[in-house]
Structure formats: structure tokens, C-alpha cells
Amino acid sequence: AQSVAQPEDQVNVAEGNPLTVKCTYSVSGNPYLFWYVQYPNRGLQFLLKYITGDNLVKGSYGFEAEFNKSQTSFHLKKPSALVSDSALYFCAVRPLTGGGNKLTFGTGTQLKVEL
Amino acid sequence: GAVVSQHPSRVICKSGTSVKIECRSLDFQATTMFWYRQFPKQSLMLMATSNEGSKATYEQGVEKDKFLINHASLTLSTLTVTSAHPEDSSFYICSARSGRGLNQPQHFGDGTRLSIL
């Protein structure tokens, strides 16, 4: 069975500084990897995905993520954080084969960007 | 981009009432829709996978008679919480995938905050 770990419940960053939200995964075979963001009382918004190809994936709002197969990680990054980036971030994984339709989510990381 | 509309956004009702939540894909056809439940400060828990024209597949521990799912068209799935009780109070989120490929992202509705008094 696949699983996702987001080791940090909360990440605090000063505005203008780079941010990293960590994610590691476990899946049989190759993964499809996704990052989503959730604002209070809203659904999840898709940020970016890794399917194949370049390990560095660029997504919405200046976010990017780096797929590292040897470390089974898919950390979310942004060079310069904004206060408006403060939200709950979810990493998710789905195996290329098997696993059915299911997208498995991590427990989420609350990002707080302060002035 | 792909838009999923979920309605209502908030429901407050008395215990014993049945509540229907609608999930629509506005600009794409969704052969598969997903229903999640989210508890405060927790991740999303998949309740069921809804396939157009066939019965939904429920996750272990989710009562199919309690949470009725209907996916009658390629753009609409409904979740009915029957005879709701306070323990059913939660944030329910639907999701749809555009296209059949598993590499396609899921797009989410804005959720329904259900409060049972």
C-alpha cells in the first residue's frame, strides 16, 4: 500500500525567504506525485504534479517541487515566500500501476509566512 | 482550468434529517468522482469512489446505507447523508478527475461544512 509522510505539522517562514515543505512517499513501482494547497474552509487547489521526465517540476504561484527517487522525496519549494502563501499544503501519491484510482494524501503541513 | 462546483457550502440541520450534497464538474466530463471527509486539522479521508453509471465503491468502514452516492451523469455526483446525527458533522469534499489517465490531477470542490444539531 502507498503512503505519504509530511514530517512537519507547521513551517514558519519570513516573507521574502525561501520555503521548503517536505514530503516523502512509499509506493510500489514508480509514482505519480502531486501537491495541493488548501485555504480555510475551501477545497484543495492543485499546485503541481510529477509524472515523468525532469525531476524539477514547476507549478502555480511560483511553486516548484523536486522529485528525488533515491530519497523517495518530493519537497515543495518556493524561492521567495509571500504572506498570501500561508495555507495548508498536502502532498499526495498515486502509483503508476496498481493501487486503483486512489490518491493517498499526507497529513498536511501548515505554512505560516510572516512579515 | 478544470472547475468543480460543490453545493451547498454549509448546512446546519437537526438530527435525523437527510442532507444531499451535489458535486458538478463544470467544464469537463468526470467519469470518476471521489468523496472525502476531513476532520479538523487532519488529512482527507476517502469515503468512496463514484463511477458514472455504476455503483460507488466504498472504503472500508464507510456505511453505504448511511452515505448514499449517485453518479447519474458525467458531470454530477451526489452524496446523501441519511438520517444525519451529530457525529456526522464534518467537512465533506468532492473531487473529480478530468480524463481517464491516472496521471491527471484531481480537481476539488470547495467543500460542504455539515453541522448536525
Side-chain angles (χ1 to χ4, degrees), chain A residues 32 34 36 38 41-44 46 49 51 90 94 101-103 105-106, chain B residues 34 36 38 43-44 59 91 97 102-106 108-110 113:
Chain A
Y32 293 132
F34 304 85
Y36 289 87
Q38 184 181 32
N41 296 309
R42 301 290 297 274
L44 276 65
F46 169 72
K49 66 178 180 180
I51 304 302
F90 289 99
R94 180 190 294 136
N101 276 315
K102 297 180 186 180
L103 191 62
F105 289 89
Chain B
F34 306 86
Y36 294 87
Q38 186 180 30
S43 189
L44 281 71
E59 294 300 301
F91 193 54
R97 189 169 64 229
L102 294 181
N103 62 349
Q104 296 300 316
Q106 287 178 213
F108 289 80
D110 276 342
R113 175 73 60 189

PDB file of all heavy atoms in Angstrom, chain A residues 32 34 36 38 41-44 46 49 51 90 94 101-103 105-106, chain B residues 34 36 38 43-44 59 91 97 102-106 108-110 113:
ATOM      1  N   TYR A  32       3.072   8.658  -9.293  1.00  0.00           N
ATOM      2  CA  TYR A  32       2.596   9.982  -9.686  1.00  0.00           C
ATOM      3  C   TYR A  32       2.542  10.788  -8.393  1.00  0.00           C
ATOM      4  O   TYR A  32       1.981  10.323  -7.407  1.00  0.00           O
ATOM      5  CB  TYR A  32       1.199   9.926 -10.296  1.00  0.00           C
ATOM      6  CG  TYR A  32       1.102   9.229 -11.619  1.00  0.00           C
ATOM      7  CD1 TYR A  32       0.125   8.266 -11.848  1.00  0.00           C
ATOM      8  CD2 TYR A  32       1.960   9.542 -12.670  1.00  0.00           C
ATOM      9  CE1 TYR A  32       0.009   7.618 -13.073  1.00  0.00           C
ATOM     10  CE2 TYR A  32       1.851   8.903 -13.894  1.00  0.00           C
ATOM     11  CZ  TYR A  32       0.879   7.942 -14.086  1.00  0.00           C
ATOM     12  OH  TYR A  32       0.761   7.303 -15.299  1.00  0.00           O
ATOM     13  N   PHE A  34       1.800  14.615  -6.391  1.00  0.00           N
ATOM     14  CA  PHE A  34       1.034  15.858  -6.510  1.00  0.00           C
ATOM     15  C   PHE A  34       1.216  16.708  -5.254  1.00  0.00           C
ATOM     16  O   PHE A  34       1.417  16.191  -4.161  1.00  0.00           O
ATOM     17  CB  PHE A  34      -0.463  15.553  -6.665  1.00  0.00           C
ATOM     18  CG  PHE A  34      -0.798  14.649  -7.820  1.00  0.00           C
ATOM     19  CD1 PHE A  34      -0.733  13.268  -7.679  1.00  0.00           C
ATOM     20  CD2 PHE A  34      -1.201  15.171  -9.033  1.00  0.00           C
ATOM     21  CE1 PHE A  34      -1.048  12.416  -8.738  1.00  0.00           C
ATOM     22  CE2 PHE A  34      -1.521  14.337 -10.090  1.00  0.00           C
ATOM     23  CZ  PHE A  34      -1.450  12.966  -9.941  1.00  0.00           C
ATOM     24  N   TYR A  36      -1.012  19.868  -3.346  1.00  0.00           N
ATOM     25  CA  TYR A  36      -2.240  20.652  -3.296  1.00  0.00           C
ATOM     26  C   TYR A  36      -2.128  21.654  -2.155  1.00  0.00           C
ATOM     27  O   TYR A  36      -1.435  21.427  -1.159  1.00  0.00           O
ATOM     28  CB  TYR A  36      -3.453  19.762  -3.045  1.00  0.00           C
ATOM     29  CG  TYR A  36      -3.847  18.887  -4.202  1.00  0.00           C
ATOM     30  CD1 TYR A  36      -3.275  17.629  -4.390  1.00  0.00           C
ATOM     31  CD2 TYR A  36      -4.812  19.313  -5.116  1.00  0.00           C
ATOM     32  CE1 TYR A  36      -3.650  16.826  -5.458  1.00  0.00           C
ATOM     33  CE2 TYR A  36      -5.196  18.502  -6.173  1.00  0.00           C
ATOM     34  CZ  TYR A  36      -4.609  17.269  -6.334  1.00  0.00           C
ATOM     35  OH  TYR A  36      -4.987  16.482  -7.396  1.00  0.00           O
ATOM     36  N   GLN A  38      -4.629  24.109   0.484  1.00  0.00           N
ATOM     37  CA  GLN A  38      -5.989  24.309   0.981  1.00  0.00           C
ATOM     38  C   GLN A  38      -6.041  25.558   1.847  1.00  0.00           C
ATOM     39  O   GLN A  38      -5.300  25.668   2.832  1.00  0.00           O
ATOM     40  CB  GLN A  38      -6.459  23.103   1.792  1.00  0.00           C
ATOM     41  CG  GLN A  38      -7.912  23.211   2.251  1.00  0.00           C
ATOM     42  CD  GLN A  38      -8.359  22.008   3.071  1.00  0.00           C
ATOM     43  OE1 GLN A  38      -7.581  21.405   3.792  1.00  0.00           O
ATOM     44  NE2 GLN A  38      -9.642  21.668   2.956  1.00  0.00           N
ATOM     45  N   ASN A  41     -11.626  26.591   5.060  1.00  0.00           N
ATOM     46  CA  ASN A  41     -12.994  26.317   4.610  1.00  0.00           C
ATOM     47  C   ASN A  41     -13.124  26.241   3.095  1.00  0.00           C
ATOM     48  O   ASN A  41     -14.183  26.586   2.542  1.00  0.00           O
ATOM     49  CB  ASN A  41     -13.962  27.376   5.162  1.00  0.00           C
ATOM     50  CG  ASN A  41     -14.036  27.317   6.673  1.00  0.00           C
ATOM     51  OD1 ASN A  41     -14.248  26.252   7.252  1.00  0.00           O
ATOM     52  ND2 ASN A  41     -13.831  28.442   7.317  1.00  0.00           N
ATOM     53  N   ARG A  42     -12.094  25.821   2.442  1.00  0.00           N
ATOM     54  CA  ARG A  42     -12.110  25.637   0.994  1.00  0.00           C
ATOM     55  C   ARG A  42     -11.637  24.236   0.645  1.00  0.00           C
ATOM     56  O   ARG A  42     -11.049  23.526   1.454  1.00  0.00           O
ATOM     57  CB  ARG A  42     -11.192  26.671   0.315  1.00  0.00           C
ATOM     58  CG  ARG A  42     -11.543  28.117   0.581  1.00  0.00           C
ATOM     59  CD  ARG A  42     -12.844  28.510  -0.101  1.00  0.00           C
ATOM     60  NE  ARG A  42     -12.754  28.419  -1.550  1.00  0.00           N
ATOM     61  CZ  ARG A  42     -12.290  29.394  -2.326  1.00  0.00           C
ATOM     62  NH1 ARG A  42     -11.845  30.519  -1.793  1.00  0.00           N
ATOM     63  NH2 ARG A  42     -12.255  29.246  -3.632  1.00  0.00           N
ATOM     64  N   GLY A  43     -11.897  23.840  -0.600  1.00  0.00           N
ATOM     65  CA  GLY A  43     -11.365  22.569  -1.070  1.00  0.00           C
ATOM     66  C   GLY A  43      -9.886  22.697  -1.398  1.00  0.00           C
ATOM     67  O   GLY A  43      -9.263  23.719  -1.128  1.00  0.00           O
ATOM     68  N   LEU A  44      -9.336  21.679  -1.996  1.00  0.00           N
ATOM     69  CA  LEU A  44      -7.922  21.682  -2.340  1.00  0.00           C
ATOM     70  C   LEU A  44      -7.713  22.230  -3.743  1.00  0.00           C
ATOM     71  O   LEU A  44      -8.480  21.933  -4.652  1.00  0.00           O
ATOM     72  CB  LEU A  44      -7.359  20.252  -2.278  1.00  0.00           C
ATOM     73  CG  LEU A  44      -6.924  19.742  -0.909  1.00  0.00           C
ATOM     74  CD1 LEU A  44      -8.089  19.612   0.043  1.00  0.00           C
ATOM     75  CD2 LEU A  44      -6.198  18.407  -1.050  1.00  0.00           C
ATOM     76  N   PHE A  46      -5.028  22.378  -6.905  1.00  0.00           N
ATOM     77  CA  PHE A  46      -3.875  21.701  -7.489  1.00  0.00           C
ATOM     78  C   PHE A  46      -2.741  22.695  -7.720  1.00  0.00           C
ATOM     79  O   PHE A  46      -2.952  23.781  -8.273  1.00  0.00           O
ATOM     80  CB  PHE A  46      -4.308  21.059  -8.803  1.00  0.00           C
ATOM     81  CG  PHE A  46      -3.187  20.548  -9.649  1.00  0.00           C
ATOM     82  CD1 PHE A  46      -2.485  19.418  -9.271  1.00  0.00           C
ATOM     83  CD2 PHE A  46      -2.852  21.185 -10.831  1.00  0.00           C
ATOM     84  CE1 PHE A  46      -1.449  18.940 -10.058  1.00  0.00           C
ATOM     85  CE2 PHE A  46      -1.825  20.709 -11.621  1.00  0.00           C
ATOM     86  CZ  PHE A  46      -1.126  19.589 -11.235  1.00  0.00           C
ATOM     87  N   LYS A  49       2.402  18.665 -10.373  1.00  0.00           N
ATOM     88  CA  LYS A  49       2.489  17.211 -10.367  1.00  0.00           C
ATOM     89  C   LYS A  49       3.789  16.760 -10.998  1.00  0.00           C
ATOM     90  O   LYS A  49       4.368  17.463 -11.834  1.00  0.00           O
ATOM     91  CB  LYS A  49       1.314  16.603 -11.130  1.00  0.00           C
ATOM     92  CG  LYS A  49       1.325  16.912 -12.629  1.00  0.00           C
ATOM     93  CD  LYS A  49       0.158  16.252 -13.353  1.00  0.00           C
ATOM     94  CE  LYS A  49       0.191  16.577 -14.840  1.00  0.00           C
ATOM     95  NZ  LYS A  49      -0.936  15.938 -15.587  1.00  0.00           N
ATOM     96  N   ILE A  51       5.079  13.450 -13.118  1.00  0.00           N
ATOM     97  CA  ILE A  51       4.664  12.216 -13.777  1.00  0.00           C
ATOM     98  C   ILE A  51       5.911  11.464 -14.257  1.00  0.00           C
ATOM     99  O   ILE A  51       6.145  10.315 -13.899  1.00  0.00           O
ATOM    100  CB  ILE A  51       3.733  12.506 -14.965  1.00  0.00           C
ATOM    101  CG1 ILE A  51       2.519  13.325 -14.504  1.00  0.00           C
ATOM    102  CG2 ILE A  51       3.306  11.214 -15.644  1.00  0.00           C
ATOM    103  CD1 ILE A  51       1.712  12.651 -13.427  1.00  0.00           C
ATOM    104  N   PHE A  90      -0.813  19.880   1.099  1.00  0.00           N
ATOM    105  CA  PHE A  90      -0.886  18.428   1.099  1.00  0.00           C
ATOM    106  C   PHE A  90      -0.074  17.853  -0.052  1.00  0.00           C
ATOM    107  O   PHE A  90      -0.207  18.291  -1.200  1.00  0.00           O
ATOM    108  CB  PHE A  90      -2.338  17.955   0.937  1.00  0.00           C
ATOM    109  CG  PHE A  90      -3.204  18.183   2.142  1.00  0.00           C
ATOM    110  CD1 PHE A  90      -4.055  19.269   2.196  1.00  0.00           C
ATOM    111  CD2 PHE A  90      -3.168  17.304   3.216  1.00  0.00           C
ATOM    112  CE1 PHE A  90      -4.858  19.480   3.295  1.00  0.00           C
ATOM    113  CE2 PHE A  90      -3.975  17.509   4.324  1.00  0.00           C
ATOM    114  CZ  PHE A  90      -4.823  18.602   4.362  1.00  0.00           C
ATOM    115  N   ARG A  94       0.076   8.583  -6.100  1.00  0.00           N
ATOM    116  CA  ARG A  94      -0.705   7.505  -6.727  1.00  0.00           C
ATOM    117  C   ARG A  94       0.279   6.673  -7.528  1.00  0.00           C
ATOM    118  O   ARG A  94       1.107   7.226  -8.237  1.00  0.00           O
ATOM    119  CB  ARG A  94      -1.778   8.089  -7.633  1.00  0.00           C
ATOM    120  CG  ARG A  94      -2.629   7.032  -8.332  1.00  0.00           C
ATOM    121  CD  ARG A  94      -3.510   7.664  -9.382  1.00  0.00           C
ATOM    122  NE  ARG A  94      -4.508   8.547  -8.802  1.00  0.00           N
ATOM    123  CZ  ARG A  94      -4.795   9.749  -9.295  1.00  0.00           C
ATOM    124  NH1 ARG A  94      -4.148  10.214 -10.339  1.00  0.00           N
ATOM    125  NH2 ARG A  94      -5.725  10.488  -8.732  1.00  0.00           N
ATOM    126  N   ASN A 101      -7.652   3.718  -8.322  1.00  0.00           N
ATOM    127  CA  ASN A 101      -7.783   5.137  -8.541  1.00  0.00           C
ATOM    128  C   ASN A 101      -7.268   5.964  -7.392  1.00  0.00           C
ATOM    129  O   ASN A 101      -7.249   7.177  -7.461  1.00  0.00           O
ATOM    130  CB  ASN A 101      -9.270   5.476  -8.723  1.00  0.00           C
ATOM    131  CG  ASN A 101      -9.722   5.245 -10.142  1.00  0.00           C
ATOM    132  OD1 ASN A 101      -9.032   5.630 -11.064  1.00  0.00           O
ATOM    133  ND2 ASN A 101     -10.864   4.621 -10.297  1.00  0.00           N
ATOM    134  N   LYS A 102      -6.922   5.335  -6.302  1.00  0.00           N
ATOM    135  CA  LYS A 102      -6.770   6.059  -5.051  1.00  0.00           C
ATOM    136  C   LYS A 102      -5.566   6.970  -5.008  1.00  0.00           C
ATOM    137  O   LYS A 102      -4.444   6.573  -5.316  1.00  0.00           O
ATOM    138  CB  LYS A 102      -6.692   5.066  -3.892  1.00  0.00           C
ATOM    139  CG  LYS A 102      -7.934   4.234  -3.717  1.00  0.00           C
ATOM    140  CD  LYS A 102      -7.791   3.271  -2.549  1.00  0.00           C
ATOM    141  CE  LYS A 102      -8.977   2.338  -2.469  1.00  0.00           C
ATOM    142  NZ  LYS A 102      -8.841   1.394  -1.340  1.00  0.00           N
ATOM    143  N   LEU A 103      -5.854   8.179  -4.576  1.00  0.00           N
ATOM    144  CA  LEU A 103      -4.820   9.172  -4.320  1.00  0.00           C
ATOM    145  C   LEU A 103      -4.624   9.203  -2.813  1.00  0.00           C
ATOM    146  O   LEU A 103      -5.575   9.438  -2.068  1.00  0.00           O
ATOM    147  CB  LEU A 103      -5.292  10.525  -4.844  1.00  0.00           C
ATOM    148  CG  LEU A 103      -4.310  11.673  -4.933  1.00  0.00           C
ATOM    149  CD1 LEU A 103      -3.177  11.347  -5.874  1.00  0.00           C
ATOM    150  CD2 LEU A 103      -5.033  12.930  -5.391  1.00  0.00           C
ATOM    151  N   PHE A 105      -3.080  10.869   0.495  1.00  0.00           N
ATOM    152  CA  PHE A 105      -2.611  12.171   0.956  1.00  0.00           C
ATOM    153  C   PHE A 105      -1.752  12.044   2.206  1.00  0.00           C
ATOM    154  O   PHE A 105      -1.949  11.150   3.036  1.00  0.00           O
ATOM    155  CB  PHE A 105      -3.801  13.076   1.292  1.00  0.00           C
ATOM    156  CG  PHE A 105      -4.558  13.542   0.088  1.00  0.00           C
ATOM    157  CD1 PHE A 105      -5.610  12.808  -0.413  1.00  0.00           C
ATOM    158  CD2 PHE A 105      -4.217  14.721  -0.544  1.00  0.00           C
ATOM    159  CE1 PHE A 105      -6.314  13.231  -1.530  1.00  0.00           C
ATOM    160  CE2 PHE A 105      -4.911  15.163  -1.659  1.00  0.00           C
ATOM    161  CZ  PHE A 105      -5.961  14.410  -2.151  1.00  0.00           C
ATOM    162  N   GLY A 106      -0.832  12.983   2.344  1.00  0.00           N
ATOM    163  CA  GLY A 106      -0.143  13.147   3.607  1.00  0.00           C
ATOM    164  C   GLY A 106      -1.057  13.850   4.597  1.00  0.00           C
ATOM    165  O   GLY A 106      -2.190  14.207   4.278  1.00  0.00           O
TER     166      GLY A 106
ATOM    167  N   PHE B  34     -14.800  11.484  -6.490  1.00  0.00           N
ATOM    168  CA  PHE B  34     -14.395  10.977  -5.191  1.00  0.00           C
ATOM    169  C   PHE B  34     -15.038  11.815  -4.098  1.00  0.00           C
ATOM    170  O   PHE B  34     -15.161  13.025  -4.225  1.00  0.00           O
ATOM    171  CB  PHE B  34     -12.870  11.044  -5.048  1.00  0.00           C
ATOM    172  CG  PHE B  34     -12.111  10.371  -6.151  1.00  0.00           C
ATOM    173  CD1 PHE B  34     -11.813  11.056  -7.328  1.00  0.00           C
ATOM    174  CD2 PHE B  34     -11.695   9.064  -6.026  1.00  0.00           C
ATOM    175  CE1 PHE B  34     -11.114  10.443  -8.353  1.00  0.00           C
ATOM    176  CE2 PHE B  34     -10.997   8.444  -7.049  1.00  0.00           C
ATOM    177  CZ  PHE B  34     -10.708   9.131  -8.211  1.00  0.00           C
ATOM    178  N   TYR B  36     -14.655  12.778  -0.057  1.00  0.00           N
ATOM    179  CA  TYR B  36     -13.754  12.760   1.088  1.00  0.00           C
ATOM    180  C   TYR B  36     -14.430  13.395   2.289  1.00  0.00           C
ATOM    181  O   TYR B  36     -15.328  14.229   2.162  1.00  0.00           O
ATOM    182  CB  TYR B  36     -12.478  13.564   0.794  1.00  0.00           C
ATOM    183  CG  TYR B  36     -11.594  12.994  -0.282  1.00  0.00           C
ATOM    184  CD1 TYR B  36     -11.801  13.308  -1.626  1.00  0.00           C
ATOM    185  CD2 TYR B  36     -10.517  12.162   0.040  1.00  0.00           C
ATOM    186  CE1 TYR B  36     -10.971  12.803  -2.616  1.00  0.00           C
ATOM    187  CE2 TYR B  36      -9.686  11.657  -0.948  1.00  0.00           C
ATOM    188  CZ  TYR B  36      -9.911  11.984  -2.266  1.00  0.00           C
ATOM    189  OH  TYR B  36      -9.087  11.489  -3.250  1.00  0.00           O
ATOM    190  N   GLN B  38     -13.146  15.337   5.914  1.00  0.00           N
ATOM    191  CA  GLN B  38     -11.977  15.916   6.548  1.00  0.00           C
ATOM    192  C   GLN B  38     -12.346  16.396   7.946  1.00  0.00           C
ATOM    193  O   GLN B  38     -13.259  17.201   8.119  1.00  0.00           O
ATOM    194  CB  GLN B  38     -11.419  17.084   5.726  1.00  0.00           C
ATOM    195  CG  GLN B  38     -10.112  17.634   6.256  1.00  0.00           C
ATOM    196  CD  GLN B  38      -9.580  18.782   5.423  1.00  0.00           C
ATOM    197  OE1 GLN B  38     -10.340  19.530   4.810  1.00  0.00           O
ATOM    198  NE2 GLN B  38      -8.262  18.939   5.383  1.00  0.00           N
ATOM    199  N   SER B  43      -5.993  15.146   7.657  1.00  0.00           N
ATOM    200  CA  SER B  43      -5.954  14.970   6.218  1.00  0.00           C
ATOM    201  C   SER B  43      -7.321  14.530   5.700  1.00  0.00           C
ATOM    202  O   SER B  43      -8.268  14.361   6.460  1.00  0.00           O
ATOM    203  CB  SER B  43      -4.895  13.936   5.852  1.00  0.00           C
ATOM    204  OG  SER B  43      -4.711  13.900   4.457  1.00  0.00           O
ATOM    205  N   LEU B  44      -7.390  14.344   4.403  1.00  0.00           N
ATOM    206  CA  LEU B  44      -8.630  13.903   3.785  1.00  0.00           C
ATOM    207  C   LEU B  44      -8.761  12.402   3.890  1.00  0.00           C
ATOM    208  O   LEU B  44      -7.812  11.660   3.615  1.00  0.00           O
ATOM    209  CB  LEU B  44      -8.657  14.297   2.308  1.00  0.00           C
ATOM    210  CG  LEU B  44      -9.009  15.739   1.986  1.00  0.00           C
ATOM    211  CD1 LEU B  44      -7.881  16.665   2.375  1.00  0.00           C
ATOM    212  CD2 LEU B  44      -9.338  15.896   0.517  1.00  0.00           C
ATOM    213  N   GLU B  59     -15.042   2.825   0.827  1.00  0.00           N
ATOM    214  CA  GLU B  59     -13.860   2.414   1.592  1.00  0.00           C
ATOM    215  C   GLU B  59     -14.314   1.636   2.827  1.00  0.00           C
ATOM    216  O   GLU B  59     -15.454   1.747   3.289  1.00  0.00           O
ATOM    217  CB  GLU B  59     -13.053   3.636   1.997  1.00  0.00           C
ATOM    218  CG  GLU B  59     -12.445   4.370   0.812  1.00  0.00           C
ATOM    219  CD  GLU B  59     -11.513   3.495   0.008  1.00  0.00           C
ATOM    220  OE1 GLU B  59     -10.525   2.986   0.577  1.00  0.00           O
ATOM    221  OE2 GLU B  59     -11.776   3.316  -1.204  1.00  0.00           O
ATOM    222  N   PHE B  91     -16.484  18.188   7.468  1.00  0.00           N
ATOM    223  CA  PHE B  91     -16.268  18.902   6.215  1.00  0.00           C
ATOM    224  C   PHE B  91     -16.166  17.848   5.114  1.00  0.00           C
ATOM    225  O   PHE B  91     -15.285  16.993   5.156  1.00  0.00           O
ATOM    226  CB  PHE B  91     -14.987  19.733   6.318  1.00  0.00           C
ATOM    227  CG  PHE B  91     -14.794  20.744   5.228  1.00  0.00           C
ATOM    228  CD1 PHE B  91     -15.780  21.678   4.950  1.00  0.00           C
ATOM    229  CD2 PHE B  91     -13.626  20.781   4.478  1.00  0.00           C
ATOM    230  CE1 PHE B  91     -15.600  22.634   3.948  1.00  0.00           C
ATOM    231  CE2 PHE B  91     -13.441  21.727   3.492  1.00  0.00           C
ATOM    232  CZ  PHE B  91     -14.430  22.648   3.220  1.00  0.00           C
ATOM    233  N   ARG B  97     -11.773  13.763 -11.480  1.00  0.00           N
ATOM    234  CA  ARG B  97     -10.573  13.704 -12.301  1.00  0.00           C
ATOM    235  C   ARG B  97     -10.975  13.905 -13.751  1.00  0.00           C
ATOM    236  O   ARG B  97     -11.903  13.256 -14.245  1.00  0.00           O
ATOM    237  CB  ARG B  97      -9.856  12.372 -12.126  1.00  0.00           C
ATOM    238  CG  ARG B  97      -8.484  12.355 -12.797  1.00  0.00           C
ATOM    239  CD  ARG B  97      -7.670  11.137 -12.412  1.00  0.00           C
ATOM    240  NE  ARG B  97      -8.296   9.920 -12.877  1.00  0.00           N
ATOM    241  CZ  ARG B  97      -8.493   8.862 -12.087  1.00  0.00           C
ATOM    242  NH1 ARG B  97      -8.119   8.900 -10.823  1.00  0.00           N
ATOM    243  NH2 ARG B  97      -9.045   7.791 -12.572  1.00  0.00           N
ATOM    244  N   LEU B 102      -4.457   8.035 -15.048  1.00  0.00           N
ATOM    245  CA  LEU B 102      -4.159   8.196 -13.640  1.00  0.00           C
ATOM    246  C   LEU B 102      -3.150   9.304 -13.387  1.00  0.00           C
ATOM    247  O   LEU B 102      -2.904   9.680 -12.244  1.00  0.00           O
ATOM    248  CB  LEU B 102      -3.644   6.867 -13.070  1.00  0.00           C
ATOM    249  CG  LEU B 102      -4.653   5.717 -13.041  1.00  0.00           C
ATOM    250  CD1 LEU B 102      -4.027   4.472 -12.443  1.00  0.00           C
ATOM    251  CD2 LEU B 102      -5.897   6.100 -12.261  1.00  0.00           C
ATOM    252  N   ASN B 103      -2.525   9.818 -14.470  1.00  0.00           N
ATOM    253  CA  ASN B 103      -1.590  10.916 -14.270  1.00  0.00           C
ATOM    254  C   ASN B 103      -2.289  12.266 -14.231  1.00  0.00           C
ATOM    255  O   ASN B 103      -1.657  13.287 -14.030  1.00  0.00           O
ATOM    256  CB  ASN B 103      -0.527  10.916 -15.372  1.00  0.00           C
ATOM    257  CG  ASN B 103      -1.131  11.131 -16.746  1.00  0.00           C
ATOM    258  OD1 ASN B 103      -2.340  11.072 -16.908  1.00  0.00           O
ATOM    259  ND2 ASN B 103      -0.302  11.362 -17.737  1.00  0.00           N
ATOM    260  N   GLN B 104      -3.590  12.261 -14.431  1.00  0.00           N
ATOM    261  CA  GLN B 104      -4.327  13.511 -14.379  1.00  0.00           C
ATOM    262  C   GLN B 104      -4.599  13.913 -12.930  1.00  0.00           C
ATOM    263  O   GLN B 104      -4.931  13.070 -12.103  1.00  0.00           O
ATOM    264  CB  GLN B 104      -5.666  13.366 -15.124  1.00  0.00           C
ATOM    265  CG  GLN B 104      -5.514  13.092 -16.601  1.00  0.00           C
ATOM    266  CD  GLN B 104      -4.769  14.200 -17.312  1.00  0.00           C
ATOM    267  OE1 GLN B 104      -5.023  15.372 -17.087  1.00  0.00           O
ATOM    268  NE2 GLN B 104      -3.817  13.821 -18.141  1.00  0.00           N
ATOM    269  N   PRO B 105      -4.469  15.201 -12.623  1.00  0.00           N
ATOM    270  CA  PRO B 105      -4.745  15.626 -11.248  1.00  0.00           C
ATOM    271  C   PRO B 105      -6.230  15.566 -10.940  1.00  0.00           C
ATOM    272  O   PRO B 105      -7.062  15.657 -11.839  1.00  0.00           O
ATOM    273  CB  PRO B 105      -4.246  17.068 -11.224  1.00  0.00           C
ATOM    274  CG  PRO B 105      -4.357  17.523 -12.631  1.00  0.00           C
ATOM    275  CD  PRO B 105      -4.066  16.324 -13.475  1.00  0.00           C
ATOM    276  N   GLN B 106      -6.541  15.417  -9.692  1.00  0.00           N
ATOM    277  CA  GLN B 106      -7.912  15.539  -9.247  1.00  0.00           C
ATOM    278  C   GLN B 106      -8.189  17.005  -8.931  1.00  0.00           C
ATOM    279  O   GLN B 106      -7.338  17.715  -8.407  1.00  0.00           O
ATOM    280  CB  GLN B 106      -8.153  14.687  -8.000  1.00  0.00           C
ATOM    281  CG  GLN B 106      -8.208  13.210  -8.280  1.00  0.00           C
ATOM    282  CD  GLN B 106      -8.390  12.364  -7.035  1.00  0.00           C
ATOM    283  OE1 GLN B 106      -7.904  11.267  -6.943  1.00  0.00           O
ATOM    284  NE2 GLN B 106      -9.117  12.877  -6.048  1.00  0.00           N
ATOM    285  N   PHE B 108     -10.816  19.660  -6.988  1.00  0.00           N
ATOM    286  CA  PHE B 108     -11.657  19.579  -5.807  1.00  0.00           C
ATOM    287  C   PHE B 108     -12.699  20.689  -5.766  1.00  0.00           C
ATOM    288  O   PHE B 108     -12.447  21.822  -6.204  1.00  0.00           O
ATOM    289  CB  PHE B 108     -10.788  19.673  -4.551  1.00  0.00           C
ATOM    290  CG  PHE B 108      -9.952  18.451  -4.315  1.00  0.00           C
ATOM    291  CD1 PHE B 108      -8.768  18.260  -5.010  1.00  0.00           C
ATOM    292  CD2 PHE B 108     -10.354  17.480  -3.415  1.00  0.00           C
ATOM    293  CE1 PHE B 108      -7.995  17.121  -4.818  1.00  0.00           C
ATOM    294  CE2 PHE B 108      -9.584  16.339  -3.210  1.00  0.00           C
ATOM    295  CZ  PHE B 108      -8.413  16.151  -3.904  1.00  0.00           C
ATOM    296  N   GLY B 109     -13.853  20.332  -5.209  1.00  0.00           N
ATOM    297  CA  GLY B 109     -14.836  21.343  -4.875  1.00  0.00           C
ATOM    298  C   GLY B 109     -14.399  22.092  -3.623  1.00  0.00           C
ATOM    299  O   GLY B 109     -13.398  21.736  -2.996  1.00  0.00           O
ATOM    300  N   ASP B 110     -15.149  23.121  -3.275  1.00  0.00           N
ATOM    301  CA  ASP B 110     -14.802  23.943  -2.120  1.00  0.00           C
ATOM    302  C   ASP B 110     -15.293  23.363  -0.801  1.00  0.00           C
ATOM    303  O   ASP B 110     -15.115  23.980   0.248  1.00  0.00           O
ATOM    304  CB  ASP B 110     -15.353  25.361  -2.293  1.00  0.00           C
ATOM    305  CG  ASP B 110     -14.417  26.222  -3.123  1.00  0.00           C
ATOM    306  OD1 ASP B 110     -13.236  25.833  -3.259  1.00  0.00           O
ATOM    307  OD2 ASP B 110     -14.849  27.269  -3.625  1.00  0.00           O
ATOM    308  N   ARG B 113     -19.554  22.235   4.665  1.00  0.00           N
ATOM    309  CA  ARG B 113     -19.442  22.144   6.116  1.00  0.00           C
ATOM    310  C   ARG B 113     -20.805  21.704   6.642  1.00  0.00           C
ATOM    311  O   ARG B 113     -21.783  22.430   6.562  1.00  0.00           O
ATOM    312  CB  ARG B 113     -19.069  23.498   6.702  1.00  0.00           C
ATOM    313  CG  ARG B 113     -19.046  23.564   8.226  1.00  0.00           C
ATOM    314  CD  ARG B 113     -17.867  22.852   8.799  1.00  0.00           C
ATOM    315  NE  ARG B 113     -16.599  23.415   8.347  1.00  0.00           N
ATOM    316  CZ  ARG B 113     -15.422  22.863   8.561  1.00  0.00           C
ATOM    317  NH1 ARG B 113     -15.348  21.715   9.217  1.00  0.00           N
ATOM    318  NH2 ARG B 113     -14.318  23.436   8.116  1.00  0.00           N
TER     319      ARG B 113
END
